[in-house]
Amino acid sequence: MGWETLARWGDDAARLERLTGGVANDVWSVRVGGRLAVGRLGTRSDADLAWETDLLRHLNREGLTVPVPIPTTDGRLFADGLVVMTYLPGGPPRNAADWRRVAAVLRELHRLTRGWPQRPGWRSSADLLHADTGTKVDLTAMPAEAVARCRAAWSRLPAGPTCVVHGNPTNPGNIRMTADQVALIDWDESHVDVPALDLVLPHNAAALDDAFLDVAAQASAAWEAAVCWDDDYARQRLATVLPPGR
């Protein structure tokens, strides 16, 4: 099945324009029930999509501004890999004050999802100290020295409660800001981990102290290297991660 599945959202449902920013998915603006929305077609499992759509509905109920899944005409939140969500207006952060607003929303996300179950098939940074694979991460594909760097960085993260992390909040395209709200979009990388991985922000907007900022930045760079391995960006990020014992 492909975009013909959009008909499950009604006879008038239609694709409008392909949107930029989707890597693993095909993302379009769509019209559903006479209103503008966003459709995302991918290959994630039903269990994975159920986790994501349940999370977004929970966050919406708790007052965060997130894309809300729009049900099919028969009440399903996704069908054949397709999810249709509300469109959120706004632009990216422009300055340090904007990024501080983003940091506040991320901390609220973390508070609202303490103890949340892991996304099916995913592993946290702590899990990957011992496990080799988890959805987008395959440490067996990396050189042993690279794996050692990543694990050393993750091992320096302080133990503590886990929560849902957005997974890519430093990409300005994943944030829609207006004068009244900060919306986080593109939850494709979200999973359960330690909150520090979300808080390495421009201008140190989360106000981490210097020592903890360094630990978090190293762990975040290691995560990005492992998820993206092996392209030029992954190698660039790995180069910023200190080897074990340093």
Side-chain angles (χ1 to χ4, degrees):
M1 299 293 288
W3 280 102
E4 59 269 27
T5 302
L6 188 59
R8 294 179 180 237
W9 276 261
D11 294 339
D12 67 338
R15 278 189 295 170
L16 302 176
E17 182 180 5
R18 176 175 271 119
L19 301 177
T20 59
V23 176
N25 303 287
D26 192 16
V27 184
W28 285 68
S29 61
V30 298
R31 185 176 60 251
V32 171
R35 58 177 169 163
L36 183 64
V38 175
R40 191 190 74 195
L41 180 65
T43 59
R44 291 288 178 88
S45 69
D46 284 358
D48 184 284
L49 294 177
W51 184 94
E52 183 181 352
T53 53
D54 285 349
L55 169 68
L56 292 174
R57 291 202 301 166
H58 166 71
L59 296 176
N60 176 65
R61 287 193 300 267
E62 294 296 327
L64 287 194
T65 305
V66 296
V68 180
I70 299 171
T72 62
T73 55
D74 60 356
R76 299 174 64 184
L77 297 178
F78 53 87
D80 299 324
L82 179 61
V83 185
V84 176
M85 294 167 282
T86 53
Y87 170 81
L88 294 171
R94 301 291 186 186
N95 51 44
D98 284 351
W99 280 107
R100 286 193 292 272
R101 292 174 63 198
V102 174
V105 170
L106 288 167
R107 290 193 185 280
E108 183 66 0
L109 160 68
H110 302 157
R111 184 188 71 81
L112 291 171
T113 57
R114 286 177 189 157
W116 201 263
Q118 183 61 278
R119 191 169 195 154
W122 284 72
R123 304 276 190 177
S124 69
S125 54
D127 294 332
L128 289 169
L129 295 177
H130 308 288
D132 291 326
T133 59
T135 305
K136 291 193 171 185
V137 175
D138 182 1
L139 298 182
T140 66
M142 302 177 71
E145 187 271 343
V147 174
R149 282 183 182 233
C150 290
R151 284 178 165 159
W154 296 330
S155 70
R156 290 191 284 268
L157 287 167
T162 59
C163 59
V164 173
V165 295
H166 177 273
N168 193 14
T170 57
N171 180 351
N174 289 339
I175 301 164
R176 294 285 184 269
M177 302 191 70
T178 68
D180 302 320
Q181 65 184 29
V182 177
L184 298 174
I185 66 172
D186 193 356
W187 292 78
D188 200 47
E189 302 286 335
S190 60
H191 63 284
V192 169
D193 217 308
V194 292
L197 292 179
D198 258 355
L199 298 177
V200 184
L201 300 172
H203 309 285
N204 189 21
L208 306 182
D209 66 55
D210 289 346
F212 188 57
L213 177 61
D214 181 64
V215 167
Q218 292 274 308
S220 179
W223 182 267
E224 291 181 351
V227 168
C228 299
W229 195 264
D230 90 282
D231 61 16
D232 289 343
Y233 178 76
R235 293 181 180 277
Q236 290 168 9
R237 297 300 284 146
L238 182 66
T240 68
V241 179
L242 295 173
R246 293 286 294 276

